[in-house]
Amino acid sequence: MVNDRGQLYTMEGVAAGIIMLLTAYIVISTTSIYTPGDTHIPDMQLEQLGSDVLAMMDTPNSKEDDESQESDLVTYILATDKTSFRAMFRDYCNMRAGSGDDLKMNAYVYFHDRDTGTVRSYVLDEEDHATGRENAVRVTRWVQLPERPDNLPMAVTDIDNRPQAVLLEVLLWRT
């Protein structure tokens, strides 16, 4: 004999099945799989951007074989022109449509001190202050200087007045 209880158990079973399927769908759709390879992509893009900007700044503005024609990067390092270096670097980084970028940077110049045989450095640009929690990338470029830079900080007096290669290091991060 069949009564109303069988129909109630069937409806309860169908409702329970729908609730379980809906719960499984919600759990699976809200869980994102973030692979370790994906975490470094923005850093690599920022590093490539900084490297490209330094390469553009280190390219002379003229096609002529005139050796006195220096790149903007050499000019800024020789003059220790923090303001112009920062303005050009940020302009090249932000060449895109839309609003400005939240890019932060600091720049340092490393040179070899022949008297002591050590590597010394001085600040080229350090207007942005890092808190230590930023994920900064380091971009470097060797720059050939024909002579000693001018307007150096007071603590830096031991750069030789000779043609030499210095290492420009730029730390980049976004806030």
Side-chain angles (χ1 to χ4, degrees), residues 12 122 146:
E12 186 180 85
Y122 65 91

Side-chain angles (χ1 to χ4, degrees), residues 2-41:
V2 178
N3 57 17
D4 293 341
R5 286 185 156 184
Q7 187 177 5
L8 185 61
Y9 289 140
T10 304
M11 290 184 65
E12 186 180 85
V14 170
I18 290 173
I19 290 173
M20 288 190 309
L21 288 175
L22 186 61
T23 303
Y25 173 75
I26 290 172
V27 168
I28 290 174
S29 66
T30 58
T31 305
S32 63
I33 299 172
Y34 200 59
T35 62
D38 294 342
T39 59
H40 302 292
I41 291 174

Side-chain angles (χ1 to χ4, degrees), residues 4-171:
D4 293 341
R5 286 185 156 184
Q7 187 177 5
L8 185 61
Y9 289 140
T10 304
M11 290 184 65
E12 186 180 85
V14 170
I18 290 173
I19 290 173
M20 288 190 309
L21 288 175
L22 186 61
T23 303
Y25 173 75
I26 290 172
V27 168
I28 290 174
S29 66
T30 58
T31 305
S32 63
I33 299 172
Y34 200 59
T35 62
D38 294 342
T39 59
H40 302 292
I41 291 174
D43 293 342
M44 291 185 331
Q45 290 172 338
L46 187 59
E47 186 176 357
Q48 187 62 48
L49 173 68
S51 180
D52 290 346
V53 167
L54 287 180
M56 286 183 357
M57 290 176 70
D58 200 22
T59 303
N61 294 327
S62 175
K63 293 191 308 187
E64 300 172 6
D65 292 330
D66 183 14
E67 290 189 20
S68 65
Q69 180 70 18
E70 295 173 344
S71 68
D72 292 329
L73 190 58
V74 171
T75 304
Y76 296 148
I77 292 175
L78 285 176
T80 317
D81 189 356
K82 299 175 182 187
T83 307
S84 298
F85 171 78
R86 181 179 190 77
M88 179 175 269
F89 191 90
R90 293 197 55 152
D91 282 346
Y92 282 168
C93 283
N94 294 324
M95 286 190 169
R96 63 186 180 133
S99 63
D101 199 357
D102 58 352
L103 186 70
K104 305 291 183 192
M105 61 172 279
N106 289 330
Y108 307 94
V109 176
Y110 294 89
F111 63 95
H112 181 256
D113 180 12
R114 285 200 301 193
D115 295 336
T116 62
T118 60
V119 176
R120 304 273 318 269
S121 68
Y122 65 91
V123 174
L124 182 60
D125 177 26
E126 198 173 46
E127 284 187 28
D128 295 327
H129 299 287
T131 62
R133 292 182 302 246
E134 294 86 2
N135 192 16
V137 295
R138 176 176 287 127
V139 180
T140 59
R141 180 147 184 109
W142 286 101
V143 181
Q144 299 292 326
L145 299 181
E147 59 191 10
R148 182 180 195 267
D150 299 327
N151 304 324
L152 290 170
M154 295 299 284
V156 182
T157 58
D158 44 5
I159 296 181
D160 297 329
N161 191 13
R162 61 179 168 88
Q164 60 185 312
V166 296
L167 182 68
L168 175 66
E169 175 187 76
V170 179
L171 296 176

